[in-house]
Amino acid sequence: MENIPKVSELLKSCRSILFITGAGISAESGLPTYRGIGGLYESQDTEDGIPVETALAGEMLYKDPSVTWKYLLQIERNCRNATFNRAHQIIAEMERAFNRVWVLTQNVDGFHTDAGAEHVIEIHGNLHHLKCMKCYWRKTVKDFSGLTIPPKCPKCGFIIRPDVVLFGEMLPFDKYQTLTDQVEKGFDIYFWIGTTGVFPYIQGPLVDAKHSGSTTVEINPDDTLLSGEVDIKIPMKAGEALERIWKEYKEKI
Ligand code: APR
């Protein structure tokens, strides 16, 4: 049986779903991915001649905030006139149709919640949530074009930053705890969508899924670290694959 009908058939007996998403699910919104063709990391060094991982590291933000903010601004500019796409919407619709649905996303664009999903773990934070690096000032800013770079706190004058996880920084404890709690409860089916799966906390649920005999699915036109490990590989773009799975599922119930 072709993989799409297999997945839509399996969903009929599922009550809980974990979606694990990466930059690829926002590619159809026009956002570049990080790795692979056209990715932000494709050219190893930035125009300043330093690796992207150095420019976007917590250490650099403290040492020379204007360097880090230059690349944060590049990422925000990519999101500025973009919005969620059909893949984000379908996941939000499935959250309302199934008993228990969670989204673990590495994306900082906020598109899952913008599309209406509620149980979203933004493990790398949200680019639009700005906070002062010294006092308690916080504000959501959807468009950085009016900011002076590096932006200063209107309350205390110190540098402000997006509430995101930069390279070399710890994951937010509260979000990681939520992820651990939810994965411990287990899910009937797991989807990895649009991610190269480079981080251990993105691969980790695969071990839990195999232990519990749950179904694992990857939706990604390319092969990744996960491709040889999942039960079902769907080599398609996120929007097209989810559209077909969701349509065939609704026809079956
Ligand atoms: N549909 C599905 N997958 C797609 C699509 C699409 N339309 N377009 C591209 N992809 C896939 C690519 O084949 C690639 O495997 O999305 C994946 C994107 O991988 P990365 O660019 O590595 O993004 P991601 O896995 O989210 O990176 C994880 O790394 O640098 C950090 O913080 C950054 O959150 C990011 C993390």
Side-chain angles (χ1 to χ4, degrees), residues 3-251:
N3 286 342
I4 296 263
K6 196 190 289 183
V7 172
S8 55
E9 185 63 29
L10 281 166
L11 279 172
K12 283 168 57 183
S13 55
C14 290
R15 291 170 51 81
S16 54
I17 308 172
L18 177 61
F19 291 101
I20 300 174
T21 69
I25 201 169
S26 294
E28 290 158 79
S29 295
L31 271 62
T33 56
Y34 291 93
R35 300 168 185 82
I37 299 162
L40 289 171
Y41 301 168
E42 195 184 13
S43 47
Q44 283 308 311
D45 284 358
T46 63
E47 58 198 46
D48 293 300
I50 50 175
V52 180
E53 286 86 342
T54 304
L56 284 172
E59 190 184 340
M60 180 62 82
L61 180 64
Y62 283 90
K63 193 168 77 175
D64 189 346
S66 51
V67 170
T68 305
W69 260 102
K70 178 177 175 181
Y71 295 97
L72 286 170
L73 200 58
Q74 256 183 23
I75 296 174
E76 186 271 333
R77 211 176 277 128
N78 293 327
C79 307
R80 197 170 295 169
N81 302 314
T83 186
F84 56 83
N85 61 55
R86 188 70 189 118
H88 298 102
Q89 272 181 322
I90 290 170
I91 288 175
E93 289 167 20
M94 292 179 79
E95 181 179 339
R96 291 189 283 275
F98 286 82
N99 181 269
R100 180 173 150 256
V101 174
W102 278 83
V103 181
L104 164 63
T105 188
Q106 301 165 89
N107 300 340
V108 295
D109 52 35
F111 287 171
H112 280 295
T113 41
D114 290 349
E118 291 178 11
H119 294 153
V120 182
I121 303 169
E122 293 181 320
I123 198 74
H124 290 166
N126 184 312
L127 187 67
H128 301 108
H129 296 170
L130 298 185
K131 63 181 185 181
C132 178
M133 292 168 71
K134 190 173 179 186
C135 74
Y136 292 101
W137 179 88
R138 285 174 176 272
K139 187 177 180 187
T140 297
V141 176
K142 277 284 187 188
D143 180 334
F144 291 3
S145 55
L147 295 179
T148 52
I149 300 299
K152 303 279 174 41
C153 173
K155 208 159 172 293
C156 74
F158 207 70
I159 304 279
I160 58 180
R161 62 168 288 171
D163 193 9
V164 296
V165 179
L166 295 172
F167 283 99
E169 294 186 324
M170 297 278 285
L171 293 177
F173 177 76
D174 58 334
K175 292 176 182 165
Y176 191 72
Q177 189 59 58
T178 302
L179 171 60
T180 308
D181 295 346
Q182 291 306 324
V183 170
E184 267 171 17
K185 287 180 186 164
F187 291 90
D188 295 326
I189 189 167
Y190 298 67
F191 289 85
W192 281 262
I193 305 176
T195 179
T196 41
V198 295
F199 293 117
Y201 46 91
I202 298 304
Q203 299 166 17
L206 198 56
V207 177
D208 299 276
K210 286 184 178 295
H211 271 311
S212 58
S214 302
T215 302
T216 54
V217 183
E218 181 185 37
I219 299 175
N220 190 325
D222 291 344
D223 280 337
T224 71
L225 300 169
L226 306 157
S227 302
E229 304 298 326
V230 295
D231 299 319
I232 301 171
K233 164 80 180 178
I234 300 176
M236 290 168 69
K237 291 184 175 182
E240 184 190 353
L242 284 172
E243 194 73 78
R244 280 192 51 198
I245 291 167
W246 189 216
K247 179 174 175 296
E248 291 189 17
Y249 167 78
K250 287 187 288 187
E251 286 165 356

